[in-house]
Amino acid sequence: MIIVIKPGKEAVISEITNRFGDHTEVFVHDNRIAIQGADRDALNKVELDAAAQIIENHPASVQGSRAFHPEDTIIQTPHSTIGGDNFTMMAGPCSVESLAHVRKMAEVAKAGGATVLRGGAFKPRTSPYSFQGLGEPGLQFLRQAADEFGLDVLTEVMDEDHVEMVGKYTDIFQIGARNMQNFSLLKAVGKTKIPVMLKRGMSATIDDILNAAEYIAAGGNTQIMIAERGIRTFDNKYTRNTLDVGAVPVLQKLSHYPVIVDPSHAAGHTEFVTKEALAGVAIGASGLVVEIHDDPAHAFSDGAQALTPDQFLEMANQATAIRSLVKPTKKAEVTA
Ligand code: PEP
Ligand code: MN
């Protein structure tokens, strides 16, 4: 149950927190209070009188819901403001390959207007015999390149035992599609204060990803963004996955977290990446996360879907043009 407290009656918030807090989860956001597992019958007369609205029919992922938190979450990192009316470009290689290479890619990302440099040092590869990432030295190279060009770092953490170490280098944790329901990992990043980009699992429903986000929020970290990166459908012969563009406004309606589109892992082939990126911009995503490489044929991973520097710069120009035509999404009014 979510209770919206009337103006002037805020004192009741701490009373409710004290009364319920020792036997259930209670979350407070401004004048809204969510009590896990309780309904209106649990409220006394003073509490009922203080309620402007009682919302009993809300999603299980309550902290992520617009009913609990009507306004957009805006995530502030050293170089980026993510969410709300802002648009954030994130780019970089799939894998960190060397210091020299990631520096070169950071320069390209910056030239295309990116404020976030992506790159994996721990790679979730389909085959255990494929390149697994450079590990901690890769994080050092990524951090150094990002700092040199005034960019934030976005990198994947695959294992809860690595959260602390990866957290020393990154501004944003990436939770990959394959780990979207790794609940111990979600709990571990939920205990940090570092923003998290949660990528949609390839077979995850909208409710699945919202509940996965709730695992992070439940630990106290609500600096979450959601990435649509393509899902498995009946026909992924010509694309690696199917970009679920329609998920963007749905997620924006249901939750207040910024929604980012990853056209690279959706398309899987360079020739489709720009088109899918532009679709993401047109539908109102808060940003793009795009893989780039100057020599895709020799990339350590995901070369087939990398944009070359020229292709990236062209895409970034087109994205800016489309963005200027698309008014920031009008958020649905919270009802019920
Ligand atoms: C990646 O970002 O390189 C990656 C592996 O992404 P995903 O988890 O979406 O497959
Ligand atoms: Mn990749």
Side-chain angles (χ1 to χ4, degrees):
M1 165 179 59
I2 296 167
I3 313 166
V4 185
I5 303 296
K6 288 178 185 159
K9 301 279 186 185
E10 289 82 3
V12 93
I13 293 175
S14 54
E15 286 166 33
I16 293 177
T17 309
N18 291 339
R19 203 161 79 76
F20 289 87
D22 57 351
H23 53 91
T24 188
E25 300 283 355
V26 177
F27 305 107
V28 176
H29 174 67
D30 291 342
N31 65 332
R32 286 168 196 252
I33 180 157
I35 311 171
Q36 203 58 40
D39 58 23
R40 74 169 57 223
D41 294 343
L43 300 179
N44 63 33
K45 169 115 181 36
V46 176
E47 292 160 354
L48 283 169
D49 284 349
Q53 195 187 359
I54 297 175
I55 305 167
E56 289 182 287
N57 185 16
H58 60 75
S61 49
V62 61
Q63 290 197 79
S65 73
R66 292 255 180 212
F68 176 66
H69 186 301
E71 69 281 8
D72 293 337
T73 280
I74 301 200
I75 299 172
Q76 189 63 56
T77 53
H79 303 285
S80 317
T81 306
I82 305 165
D85 293 347
N86 305 286
F87 185 81
T88 306
M89 183 68 83
M90 313 180 190
C94 178
S95 294
V96 179
E97 300 183 359
S98 66
L99 177 59
H101 186 257
V102 77
R103 282 184 67 241
K104 217 194 254 183
M105 293 303 96
E107 188 174 10
V108 173
K110 181 85 181 183
T115 55
V116 178
L117 178 65
R118 64 143 289 145
F122 294 91
K123 296 303 302 177
R125 304 307 300 281
T126 302
S127 163
Y129 309 118
S130 300
F131 175 64
Q132 302 286 307
L134 293 181
E136 192 166 359
L139 296 176
Q140 289 163 350
F141 299 156
L142 184 63
R143 182 75 262 171
Q144 190 176 326
D147 287 346
E148 187 178 335
F149 290 93
L151 298 165
D152 294 322
V153 165
L154 163 67
T155 197
E156 176 156 358
V157 58
M158 281 178 55
D159 189 315
E160 57 180 301
D161 293 338
H162 289 167
V163 167
E164 195 181 326
M165 183 267 290
V166 176
K168 287 193 192 130
Y169 298 96
T170 200
D171 299 295
I172 307 167
F173 284 123
Q174 173 170 314
I175 303 285
R178 291 159 193 78
N179 264 325
M180 190 204 85
Q181 285 180 311
N182 179 340
F183 297 117
S184 43
L185 179 60
L186 298 175
K187 286 180 185 174
V189 296
K191 285 190 202 126
T192 74
K193 295 192 182 340
I194 298 173
V196 180
M197 174 188 282
L198 177 64
K199 299 187 84 174
R200 183 179 182 185
M202 34 224 152
S203 303
T205 65
I206 299 276
D207 286 343
D208 288 338
I209 190 160
L210 292 175
N211 279 301
E214 196 74 6
Y215 266 88
I216 303 171
N221 185 357
T222 53
Q223 301 288 290
I224 301 166
M225 60 199 101
I226 293 177
E228 165 56 43
R229 45 76 73 204
I231 52 173
R232 288 252 162 99
T233 62
F234 60 87
D235 192 355
N236 288 133
K237 184 170 166 191
Y238 301 102
T239 55
R240 184 174 177 182
N241 291 286
T242 299
L243 182 67
D244 184 5
V245 273
V248 174
V250 172
L251 287 165
Q252 289 171 332
K253 175 184 175 180
L254 297 175
S255 104
H256 47 86
Y257 299 131
V259 181
I260 308 297
V261 162
D262 170 349
S264 307
H265 293 86
H269 302 278
T270 301
E271 64 179 310
F272 304 128
V273 169
T274 293
K275 301 284 185 196
E276 297 198 11
L278 299 181
V281 179
I283 206 157
S286 287
L288 292 174
V289 56
V290 183
E291 290 186 344
I292 56 176
H293 204 285
D294 56 332
D295 183 9
H298 296 103
F300 287 14
S301 56
D302 284 351
Q305 66 195 34
L307 294 185
T308 62
D310 284 349
Q311 290 168 331
F312 171 67
L313 297 175
E314 174 72 14
M315 184 280 286
N317 277 337
Q318 293 178 336
T320 306
I322 291 183
R323 177 71 186 171
S324 70
L325 297 174
V326 181
K327 292 210 169 68
T329 316
K330 171 103 178 67
K331 298 300 164 344
E333 295 297 316
V334 175
T335 52

